Amino acid sequence: MILRRPVSSRVIAAVFGVPMAGFFGYLVWLQFTVRASVSGRLCTGLISLLGLFMAANFLSYALQRFQVDVDRDGWRVRIGRYRRDLRWAEISGAVIENRERGGRRRVPALYLVPGPGVSLDVPSDLRATVDGRPAVRLFDLDEPKIEERKFVRDLTGLAGDRLEVRVHRLHVMLPSEDARQRLNGGKVLPAFPPGAEGVRTQRWLNRRRFQLFVGWYLFAVVPALLLTGFTARLHELLGAAVAVLGLLAVTAAYAQFVTLFSHATDLVDAEVEIAGTKLARVIGDRTYRDDMHGGTIVVLPPGAKRGYGRAWLLGFPYVVALLGDPRTGRLRHHDDLRALSAVLRESPHETDRAAARDIDSLALQSQVGDSTEPDGAENARLWMSLTKAGRILAWAVVLGSVLLTGGWLLESTHHLGDAVLLICVPLATVSALYALYRIYALLGAAWQAAWDAVRKNH
């Protein structure tokens, strides 16, 4: 089995990278030939450096060698400057699991875990850990041009007991139920809602968060700034005290309200695995495990916890999994619900058995649905990345309001106005870094959508 990055993706990267490098290089050249204000030079220089960095990434991707050969003898890896030949005896595990890429987007990746005493000399960009063990991340499964079903089946025949598949949609592609049980060791409940429906739910949750953000700005930030300005005109020390109290109140209000839907957003992307009596869930790079026979399981109806919309929830009693869609209230597939109730029914605690009965009643109401990813997921993710990029403007409004307040205080105070403007320096730095992150994530989503379109046409 030989895996290579397709020529078409490298050509697209070069087509993007070369013009970008030329254009932003021209902007850098203008810095030394055209007269401009210091602020204009700094702004243009920052944009130019960002563009050159992105162009360098595109060109590096286009020029990087990528070839992975795997057969019954072992692995022959040629990725960029990394060159390594590994025999199967040196590998303790080959793991396919999700990783975060481009913010909250999760993609399946292939990891090789070396055996005891085997050093892989992995470069930093490929270095990873799997269950606390050092590993090498070979590639994301959407990088080389492969047919996933054939890839998983072929790798199963070569790796045998060494292969572990932790991604639900790939796990169901394994050759037999025995292989699925042997390799995975438990029932995996996929991220819910799946595919494009999950992205639409994410967008719905983000809209709710934005509404809270607007309320936070209008009813916490603006009053705190106005009150600081008016009290400072009476006495500077009083204005300083109000400014400190206002900062604490604004921060507390943000933590309490604006982040209200954050946990639900994480759970939409989280896969849950039933391993024995344990419930394991992966959020980002962290894995959480809870005992389903601990006597603490509860099933919470919609509205029992703020920030989860119309979803039924599974809790310990803190919420660990969505049993329904926060946006529509649609329940999980009844097979997933019955898998949960089957474990809970065996608990020695009545609380857990009562939760099992509640889940069984939900399973009767659940409609059979397609567990595969619906069409349009990539376009939905691109649109969500675009809307998240709009947060740059929202934070710019907050920063501008603080700057205006600082300028206003300069007219009526000796030191408070300078202090407020000084605070704006770290705020502006953080805002600039956040803007770069969001722009980079948006370009990454656009690139992924274009790459997926190329894959579908080949």
Side-chain angles (χ1 to χ4, degrees):
M1 186 165 47
I2 301 176
L3 305 174
R4 291 186 177 92
R5 183 172 287 136
V7 175
S8 58
S9 67
R10 299 168 68 179
V11 171
I12 292 173
V15 168
F16 272 95
V18 172
M20 287 178 62
F23 175 70
F24 289 107
Y26 172 72
L27 290 181
V28 172
W29 175 75
L30 286 180
Q31 300 296 302
F32 301 97
T33 58
V34 178
R35 289 187 176 183
S37 64
V38 174
S39 59
R41 285 177 179 270
L42 289 175
C43 182
T44 307
L46 181 62
I47 295 174
S48 302
L49 290 175
L50 172 64
L52 287 174
F53 173 72
M54 293 175 57
N57 279 344
F58 279 120
L59 292 175
S60 174
Y61 178 86
L63 299 174
Q64 185 185 66
R65 184 180 181 185
F66 182 97
Q67 181 176 337
V68 178
D69 302 348
V70 54
D71 54 29
R72 295 193 177 279
D73 295 327
W75 295 74
R76 187 170 182 265
V77 180
R78 303 291 184 267
I79 301 178
R81 294 177 296 174
Y82 186 55
R83 304 286 191 273
R84 190 62 190 263
D85 295 335
L86 287 167
R87 302 188 66 82
W88 281 111
E90 299 177 285
I91 299 172
S92 65
V95 179
I96 298 176
E97 67 177 5
N98 282 327
R99 77 176 188 97
E100 283 195 359
R101 189 178 73 188
R104 296 184 182 276
R105 172 170 166 74
R106 295 170 64 79
V107 295
L110 176 63
Y111 299 84
L112 287 185
V113 182
V118 178
S119 175
L120 295 179
D121 299 323
V122 185
S124 59
D125 58 330
L126 298 179
R127 193 174 301 147
T129 57
V130 175
D131 298 333
R133 298 173 294 173
V136 53
R137 178 180 60 83
L138 289 185
F139 53 83
D140 296 337
L141 265 60
D142 60 353
E143 286 183 351
K145 189 175 182 180
I146 59 174
E147 201 283 310
E148 289 181 342
R149 182 182 297 274
K150 184 176 184 301
F151 171 74
V152 171
R153 290 175 179 266
D154 290 347
L155 191 57
T156 302
L158 294 172
D161 293 339
R162 295 181 181 88
L163 179 62
E164 185 175 355
V165 181
R166 302 178 180 178
V167 181
H168 177 73
R169 65 181 177 83
L170 299 177
H171 177 253
V172 297
M173 295 178 182
L174 292 172
S176 65
E177 183 62 28
D178 290 341
R180 289 194 287 270
Q181 292 297 330
R182 173 174 55 82
L183 292 174
N184 195 69
K187 167 72 173 176
V188 176
L189 310 186
F192 184 82
E197 286 300 314
V199 179
R200 294 186 185 101
T201 297
Q202 293 277 20
R203 287 167 51 189
W204 182 83
L205 291 169
N206 285 331
R207 284 197 294 269
R208 297 301 180 275
R209 291 183 64 184
F210 181 73
Q211 293 169 2
L212 291 174
F213 182 92
V214 172
W216 169 76
Y217 172 74
L218 293 177
F219 299 106
V221 176
V222 173
L225 294 176
L226 291 176
L227 191 59
T228 298
F230 285 124
T231 54
R233 296 175 71 90
L234 299 175
H235 194 283
E236 186 170 0
L237 186 59
L238 178 61
V242 171
V244 172
L245 293 175
L247 178 61
L248 295 175
V250 165
T251 304
Y254 185 90
Q256 184 70 25
F257 298 107
V258 181
T259 61
L260 184 61
F261 293 98
S262 298
H263 192 219
T265 301
D266 291 335
L267 292 181
V268 169
D269 283 336
E271 285 187 344
V272 180
E273 179 184 0
I274 303 172
T277 63
K278 300 290 185 181
L279 190 69
R281 53 204 166 93
V282 178
I283 298 179
D285 294 329
R286 302 185 64 182
T287 300
Y288 303 86
R289 291 181 174 84
D290 298 285
D291 186 7
M292 298 176 69
H293 286 184
T296 59
I297 288 280
V298 292
V299 176
L300 303 172
K305 292 275 189 179
R306 293 190 304 167
Y308 296 94
R310 303 176 183 177
W312 284 82
L313 308 169
L314 183 69
F316 278 79
Y318 53 88
V319 179
V320 298
L322 299 175
L323 301 181
D325 186 344
R327 180 174 64 96
T328 64
R330 183 171 68 90
L331 294 168
R332 275 186 177 270
H333 194 284
H334 54 67
D335 288 345
D336 295 339
L337 296 174
R338 285 170 179 156
L340 286 169
S341 66
V343 177
L344 292 172
R345 279 196 299 270
E346 303 300 323
S347 173
H349 301 283
E350 175 57 29
T351 303
D352 299 334
R353 295 195 294 271
R357 292 191 291 271
D358 292 338
I359 294 176
D360 283 332
S361 67
L362 294 179
L364 294 175
Q365 306 171 36
S366 175
Q367 297 178 354
V368 177
D370 184 5
S371 62
T372 60
E373 184 170 291
D375 293 334
E378 293 306 326
N379 291 334
R381 290 191 182 98
L382 177 59
W383 178 252
M384 189 170 69
S385 296
L386 181 61
T387 57
K388 285 184 177 181
R391 296 178 184 177
I392 299 172
L393 298 177
W395 281 109
V397 170
V398 175
L399 179 61
S401 300
V402 178
L403 284 171
L404 287 175
T405 303
W408 178 28
L409 291 174
L410 283 176
E411 301 175 358
S412 56
T413 62
H414 296 289
H415 305 290
L416 185 57
D418 293 330
V420 172
L421 292 177
L422 186 62
I423 292 174
C424 289
V425 174
L427 290 178
T429 302
V430 173
S431 298
L433 294 175
Y434 179 78
L436 294 179
Y437 164 72
R438 282 299 174 199
I439 292 172
Y440 192 76
L442 176 60
L443 292 174
W447 165 258
Q448 185 64 38
W451 167 228
D452 288 337
V454 171
R455 289 183 65 195
K456 289 179 181 178
N457 294 329
H458 288 75

